[in-house]
Amino acid sequence: MIGLWHAIANTPKMRLKFQFKIARKTGYTLDIASEPLAIPFKVDSVAVEGNTLRGTAGAFWMPGQSIVVKLTFDGDGFEGEMTIPGMGRLPLQGSKGRGPFLSEELIDTVLPLRKNEIPARSDEEIDREVEALLGRMTLEEKVGQLFQVPASNFSFGGAVETDPPEKLVAEGRAGSVLGAFDVARVFELQKLAVEKSPHGIPLLFNADIIHGAQTIFPVPLAWSCSWEPEAVKEACAIAAKEASASGTVYNHGPMVDIGRDPRWGRVVEGAGEDPYLGALMAKAQVEGFQGATLADPETIVACLKHFIAYGAAEGGRDYNTVDISEMALRNVFLPPFQAGLEAGAASVMNSFNIYQGVPVAASEPLLKELLRGELGFDGVLISDYGAVEEIAVHGHARDAREAAGMAARATMDIEMATRSYEFLPELVEAGVVPEATVTDSARRILRLKYKLGLMDDPYRYVRPEKERDYHFNEEHLQASLELARKSAVLLHNDGTLPIRSGKAGRLERIALIGPFADSRDLLGPWQFSRFSHETVTLYEGLLGKGIPPERLLYAQGCGVEEPLPGGIEAALEQAATADLVVLALGESSDMSGEAASRLSIGLPEPQLRLAEAVLALGKPVVLVLTNGRPLVLGELGERANAILETWFLGSQAGNAIADLLTGDYNPSGKLTMSFPAHAGQVPVYYNGFRTGRPVTDSNANSKFISKYIDGPNEPKYPFGHGLSYTTFTYSGVRADRASIAGDDKLTVTVTVTNAGSVAGVETVQLYIQDVHGSIVRPVKELKGFRKLRLEPGESKVVAFAIGVSELRFWSPANGYAAEPGAFVAYVGTSSADTLSIGFEWTGA
């Protein structure tokens, strides 16, 4: 019974495919997946008697209730049943393997409806077609295009009172649909729109494709640690290819918020704390999702979110108040959005927070004047889930009617989920909202539908035959593996890693301990893959390296947040006979992401108790972390012999981690978000400002300076930190001139040497400090980096060109400009480990 099995069941409402993955170590394990809906099942118990397996599982949508599975195997087949609350008993008969895609049954139906070719329309031609259509539409029909409706009654927030999506679509009261992950559901609703709604205008189908569609890549905070925008671009292009095959045309991503507070769960979705690197990652993601043209049916719309400053939520608490200066807004939070817009992002989503006391969804200064006016954005502006209605909840509007008028006047085009915009016709009649405002929003939406080719071929994204070809294929899995290897960060190592062969070439006995030792919860939040049950675990990855099972000892030890009866004792029994302990600890996927803010950003108490017991044995301990935010590691971080930060690495996580632990891949990741030494430091980030009483080497023991009396100012692991299995040394930093003027550039060079015994990849980082200015400037700011591979003993000279573009910033007095004066260039292996040289810019 070991392996992957499938069965297809018919219910009164739909046809379902279930997959069962069964494995065995000290006992049997069971993973369950379903199609067409990617329902995350949590298996609670597994028992095997003879050739019969019995298991129980839960799902988030039925708290307190259990699914019961009974399967009896005979050769390459099985029979059995699943009992699901609300659905009853489903008889099952199945066989080995993944089985067919259910969507294959749709191929013959949709192929005759699709067009082989659609006309290549110019912008001018699209505009003419849109204006003609608008001229035939009533005000109410235009308003209908402004609604995004959920594809089902599943809610990402509070319950929404509304008509069923079928009724809304048929009546022309929906322009787009959220969360129709099943291509058959996309086809059903699109056919309804084309055949029943006024004017037959096709729907946009939206989804959150954050770090992969079916093949899951590392979470964005992880892939930013690769410092490889081109690899991130490729990941997003693959995600678009897989998502578009299932009908998704409009992505609710990328999230390009700057995150400085690890208590905020959504730092996992972004590129960390730095605006420069965040801008590069924003550009890469837009280019990956959208490709060369949105007319290509294997690309999807990129939507920059959340405009703006969502990452500055007070206390790191999701949806909370934001109160920042315009200086911070423009110098810290805006650059990734500017880069994404310059890359051609077709959509922007508002943030949930207030700015200057006004909810962003209602802010004309931010949305109409800054985004559309100053930045020139003419694409589709979409509200976040329920954000229009929440203008009233914030206390800025009297009710949903007034909120609708505020959002419309701020140029919000699409209201997601809620129905406040139903007040727009009467608001137009009352003169509160100009009819031209509604027409402009409908125009932008219709223009996008033409650019996507939907107006010429509504079914061009309904491609079940491509699901079969693209979803979770070997090429995509290999790309996920490669990016996962580059995204992990070696935080600490005393020489214990990589894992080496023991005496006479025999491998050491390795004890693999912890809740993530054999867990498939390695994908992270915001993923809806139907292949989560095939995620490679760390245990499976190490077995794949040729470590025999008898030398790979395993014990779970505890759950992520709860102790296991006898768990620590079982872990100690295994660890006591091992030469090395790999302690796999961290956060579950639902502990980070949206609505997953944490007061304590340490490891949960049961894991700390397990770690303490294992460390007491005195064995070498390698800590492998799975998590979606920087953690405070405390004493554990001091006592572990090595620490590998793996974040959530995606579908191939176990193979990637095994490659890194064994040295088959030399770690090269660098942190894009600082790890606090203590939670009391939060927020802690490298590019802060000097104070009037800074800590220096000479005054560190003084009292009246900016410091804590019970701990350091510095993070435990700073931005840019990341070790290798070799050692890189820096020497000979030079500038080719002492000063520059106007548009001249100077070149800073440094020699980097691989002083170790193995080849490795180093990310050489350039930071600049503006020593004095019209406003106080950060202590240093990332302005460039180079990745280079060096063989043992090899040296290379790395050069950085510095000109006025690297010196420019925003100030109230001068806007975006560089200011004459003294600067310092820092080059090094992290933000805290650099060589420096000064220079002057004398002005234009």
Side-chain angles (χ1 to χ4, degrees):
M1 66 179 66
I2 302 299
L4 187 62
W5 305 79
H6 76 277
I8 295 174
N10 292 307
T11 75
K13 291 187 176 180
M14 68 175 67
R15 193 164 159 84
L16 296 170
K17 184 178 81 173
F18 294 100
Q19 292 187 65
F20 307 96
K21 184 165 185 178
I22 304 169
R24 186 178 185 183
K25 295 181 294 299
T26 53
Y28 286 89
T29 62
L30 171 67
D31 291 278
I32 306 172
S34 65
E35 187 187 328
L37 303 177
I39 301 172
F41 295 97
K42 182 181 179 183
V43 176
D44 302 313
S45 67
V46 182
V48 173
E49 185 176 341
N51 63 343
T52 297
L53 178 147
R54 291 179 175 83
T56 62
F60 73 92
W61 42 270
M62 38 171 251
Q65 302 181 77
S66 291
I67 296 167
V68 180
V69 182
K70 179 183 177 183
L71 307 175
T72 300
F73 296 85
D74 183 10
D76 289 337
F78 70 87
E79 292 186 350
E81 62 184 37
M82 288 182 72
T83 303
I84 303 177
M87 297 179 68
R89 175 182 168 275
L90 299 177
L92 300 177
Q93 186 170 5
S95 56
K96 277 199 168 183
R98 289 179 183 165
F101 282 71
L102 288 186
S103 60
E104 291 178 15
E105 300 170 359
L106 187 62
I107 293 175
D108 292 339
T109 301
V110 74
L111 275 179
L113 299 175
R114 286 210 314 255
K115 298 179 182 178
N116 293 327
E117 293 183 10
I118 62 171
R121 296 184 182 272
S122 67
D123 288 345
E124 292 77 12
E125 186 179 359
I126 288 174
D127 287 343
R128 286 196 300 271
E129 294 286 346
V130 169
E131 293 308 314
L133 179 53
L134 287 170
R136 298 191 297 271
M137 296 174 70
T138 66
L139 174 61
E140 287 74 15
E141 289 166 350
K142 293 173 188 176
V143 171
Q145 290 296 304
L146 278 53
F147 287 106
Q148 179 165 117
V149 301
S152 67
N153 60 2
F154 174 76
S155 173
F156 290 95
V160 176
E161 292 186 12
T162 183
D163 290 330
E166 292 82 0
K167 178 176 172 61
L168 295 170
V169 169
E171 294 176 354
R173 297 162 60 204
S176 56
V177 173
L178 172 64
F181 294 101
D182 173 23
V183 71
R185 180 63 167 159
V186 170
F187 177 68
E188 174 189 5
L189 292 175
Q190 192 70 290
K191 195 167 187 290
L192 197 60
V194 171
E195 295 181 357
K196 300 292 185 182
S197 72
H199 309 289
I201 299 172
L203 299 162
L204 297 165
F205 286 88
N206 299 43
D208 291 78
I209 310 297
I210 305 302
H211 55 110
Q214 297 301 324
T215 305
I216 304 302
F217 288 82
V219 292
L221 183 58
W223 73 24
S224 71
C225 293
S226 72
W227 294 56
E228 289 206 12
E230 284 301 311
V232 172
K233 178 179 175 179
E234 180 191 16
C236 294
I238 289 172
K241 202 172 184 178
E242 293 190 354
S244 62
S246 301
T248 294
V249 299
Y250 193 142
N251 187 18
H252 289 177
M255 191 197 90
V256 298
D257 296 305
I258 297 299
R260 291 175 161 181
D261 191 332
R263 294 173 297 182
W264 189 48
R266 303 198 77 166
V267 297
V268 71
E269 299 174 52
E273 68 193 46
D274 182 73
Y276 175 85
L277 187 62
L280 291 178
M281 290 298 171
K283 177 177 183 289
Q285 290 175 87
V286 170
E287 292 176 345
F289 287 129
Q290 294 193 173
T293 172
L294 287 175
D296 181 346
E298 294 189 346
T299 65
I300 58 179
V301 169
C303 177
L304 303 174
K305 66 182 189 185
H306 307 83
F307 194 85
I308 192 168
Y310 192 23
E314 288 185 355
R317 194 173 81 239
D318 218 350
Y319 318 118
N320 199 19
T321 297
V322 166
D323 191 3
I324 61 171
S325 67
E326 186 176 4
M327 179 184 70
L329 181 83
R330 290 181 175 271
N331 289 327
V332 177
F333 296 98
L334 192 57
F337 287 94
Q338 291 173 304
L341 292 174
E342 289 168 5
S347 179
V348 172
M349 181 186 295
N350 74 279
S351 55
F352 281 117
N353 52 273
I354 63 171
Y355 178 71
Q356 304 285 47
V358 177
V360 173
S363 176
E364 293 187 47
L366 284 179
L367 301 182
K368 188 175 182 178
E369 297 170 18
L370 175 58
L371 177 62
R372 294 207 186 272
E374 182 178 332
L375 300 179
F377 175 65
D378 64 353
V380 174
L381 179 59
I382 184 172
S383 84
D384 207 336
Y385 196 101
V388 173
E389 195 172 87
E390 289 174 14
I391 295 169
V393 180
H394 274 288
H396 184 62
R398 180 187 301 272
D399 51 26
R401 181 183 184 277
E402 189 174 11
M406 290 176 172
R409 290 194 302 272
T411 72
M412 184 71 71
D413 297 320
I414 296 178
E415 179 182 6
M416 189 194 302
T418 50
R419 306 291 300 181
S420 304
Y421 271 11
E422 288 182 341
F423 291 106
L424 285 181
E426 66 178 74
L427 289 170
V428 169
E429 184 178 349
V432 176
V433 174
E435 183 170 356
T437 298
V438 175
T439 302
D440 285 344
S441 287
R443 178 181 291 114
R444 287 188 283 263
I445 293 165
L446 293 173
R447 186 187 296 148
L448 181 60
K449 290 182 178 183
Y450 267 105
K451 288 184 176 182
L452 289 162
L454 285 168
M455 300 298 287
D456 293 304
D457 183 2
Y459 305 107
R460 70 193 309 249
Y461 295 90
V462 181
R463 298 178 297 153
E465 75 281 5
K466 293 299 184 182
E467 280 195 342
R468 181 179 57 198
D469 294 341
Y470 293 161
H471 287 184
F472 215 66
N473 71 26
E474 288 304 317
E475 180 184 346
H476 295 176
L477 288 169
Q478 183 62 33
S480 176
L481 173 62
E482 291 174 4
L483 187 51
R485 290 165 173 159
K486 296 173 180 178
S487 300
V489 183
L490 183 61
L491 297 178
H492 168 68
N493 187 25
D494 66 0
T496 299
L497 287 179
I499 298 171
R500 297 179 177 86
S501 297
K503 296 179 180 179
R506 296 182 64 194
L507 289 169
E508 300 170 326
R509 290 169 63 88
I510 301 167
L512 186 54
I513 307 294
F516 291 93
D518 192 38
S519 171
R520 300 193 197 282
D521 186 12
L522 306 175
L523 302 183
W526 283 119
Q527 61 79 28
F528 305 94
S529 175
R530 297 172 189 152
F531 300 89
S532 60
H533 61 298
E534 295 192 52
T535 305
V536 181
T537 72
L538 177 52
Y539 182 87
E540 291 170 343
L542 288 172
L543 284 181
K545 304 306 293 183
I547 301 174
E550 64 272 14
R551 305 194 72 79
L552 187 59
L553 314 176
Y554 165 79
Q556 182 179 348
C558 67
V560 176
E561 297 184 86
E562 66 285 334
L564 294 178
I568 290 180
E569 291 77 7
L572 293 178
E573 183 178 350
Q574 298 286 47
T577 63
D579 302 293
L580 172 73
V581 178
V582 175
L583 199 53
L585 308 178
E587 299 178 305
S588 61
S589 291
D590 58 8
M591 291 174 70
S592 63
E594 186 170 359
S597 299
R598 294 183 61 196
L599 286 170
S600 171
I601 54 172
L603 290 165
E605 186 62 30
Q607 296 188 53
L608 293 176
R609 290 199 296 268
L610 172 65
E612 176 61 36
V614 169
L615 286 164
L617 294 174
K619 305 278 185 177
V621 172
V622 174
L623 176 59
V624 175
L625 294 171
T626 296
N627 46 291
R629 55 163 56 83
L631 299 174
V632 173
L633 298 175
E635 186 179 349
L636 175 58
E638 300 295 330
R639 296 175 62 187
N641 298 84
I643 305 173
L644 182 66
E645 172 56 79
T646 72
W647 311 106
F648 292 101
L649 289 183
S651 299
Q652 289 287 298
N655 287 333
I657 299 169
D659 286 343
L660 292 157
L661 291 177
T662 58
D664 286 350
Y665 193 92
N666 193 348
S668 61
K670 298 280 190 177
L671 290 180
T672 57
M673 195 170 181
S674 303
F675 271 56
H678 189 282
Q681 296 176 318
V682 171
V684 59
Y685 46 93
Y686 86 93
N687 49 354
F689 298 104
R690 285 170 292 173
T691 76
R693 298 186 180 188
V695 179
T696 65
D697 291 340
S698 60
N699 72 3
N701 294 322
S702 301
K703 180 174 179 62
F704 297 101
I705 54 173
S706 181
K707 69 172 185 177
Y708 298 102
I709 63 173
D710 55 351
N713 286 7
E714 296 75 24
K716 177 65 177 176
Y717 301 112
F719 178 89
H721 171 77
L723 304 178
S724 168
Y725 292 147
T726 191
T727 302
F728 297 102
T729 60
Y730 287 67
S731 61
V733 64
R734 295 181 178 86
D736 66 346
R737 63 186 76 181
S739 67
I740 53 175
D743 292 330
D744 292 343
K745 292 181 180 288
L746 66 83
T747 300
V748 171
T749 57
V750 69
T751 300
V752 183
T753 302
N754 183 345
S757 58
V758 295
V761 173
E762 171 69 336
T763 301
V764 184
Q765 301 158 43
L766 169 72
Y767 300 87
I768 294 178
Q769 180 191 56
D770 191 341
V771 178
H772 55 84
S774 62
I775 60 173
V776 175
R777 304 289 293 121
V779 293
K780 61 183 64 164
E781 298 174 286
L782 182 70
K783 292 296 181 179
F785 60 90
R786 302 282 188 276
K787 296 199 73 166
L788 66 158
R789 178 179 175 84
L790 295 174
E791 297 297 322
E794 184 182 7
S795 296
K796 287 184 179 178
V797 175
V798 180
F800 294 97
I802 300 175
V804 68
S805 61
E806 284 72 39
L807 310 180
R808 186 178 290 118
F809 64 98
W810 184 90
S811 68
N814 301 316
Y816 290 98
E819 296 180 356
F823 296 84
V824 179
Y826 299 88
V827 184
T829 188
S830 77
S831 62
D833 188 359
T834 58
L835 303 175
S836 64
I837 190 166
F839 66 94
E840 293 263 347
W841 183 68
T842 59

